[in-house]
Amino acid sequence: MSAWEPVLVLLGVVAAGVALLYGGGAWLAVVRRPLVAEPFSGGLAPREHAFSRYHARWYPITMVFLAFDMEMLFMYPWATVVVDVGTSAVVEMFLFLGILFAAVGYAWREGAFRWA
């Protein structure tokens, strides 16, 4: 028995498992039909297709939302250790918030939040 036989058996088992999973998925798959626009969001008829694209003016707002969302992601662990770390943690958080607000001020000055 060579040293490669267990490796080849394992590769065969993995390949058979992958083929079985793909085959089972294809066999159990639901037949796709075209989307039919039906009322949603409180029963109102949709004005546009659900896969339609957003206007480009929404992207800066989305980026600002993500920036503030990431800020909150960093503030939760900070809030748990600020008492233990002390003044340096407060200074670092205000530095972080200052950089964030400077970026928002720059975007505001450049007109990223204008709708027209």
Side-chain angles (χ1 to χ4, degrees):
M1 180 172 180
S2 76
W4 290 102
E5 282 180 5
V7 174
L8 293 176
V9 169
L10 181 63
L11 285 176
V13 168
V14 168
V18 169
L20 182 69
L21 286 174
Y22 272 107
W27 181 59
L28 295 173
V30 177
V31 177
R32 294 184 178 204
R33 291 183 211 102
L35 283 175
V36 178
E38 295 178 359
F40 68 98
S41 182
L44 300 174
R47 292 184 291 166
E48 57 192 31
H49 196 273
F51 296 123
S52 64
R53 294 184 179 202
Y54 292 104
H55 195 276
R57 65 179 164 219
W58 286 104
Y59 292 110
I61 302 300
T62 305
M63 290 298 118
V64 169
F65 169 76
L66 288 175
F68 281 99
D69 199 33
M70 289 297 108
E71 169 211 353
M72 291 310 298
L73 183 71
F74 288 126
M75 285 184 96
Y76 286 128
W78 172 80
T80 61
V81 299
V82 68
V83 175
D84 298 332
V85 175
T87 308
S88 66
V90 175
V91 170
E92 288 174 2
M93 182 51 69
F94 277 104
L95 182 66
F96 175 70
L97 291 174
I99 292 170
L100 185 67
F101 282 118
V104 170
Y106 173 76
W108 192 302
R109 188 187 74 192
E110 294 296 318
F113 304 127
R114 283 192 220 121
W115 288 100

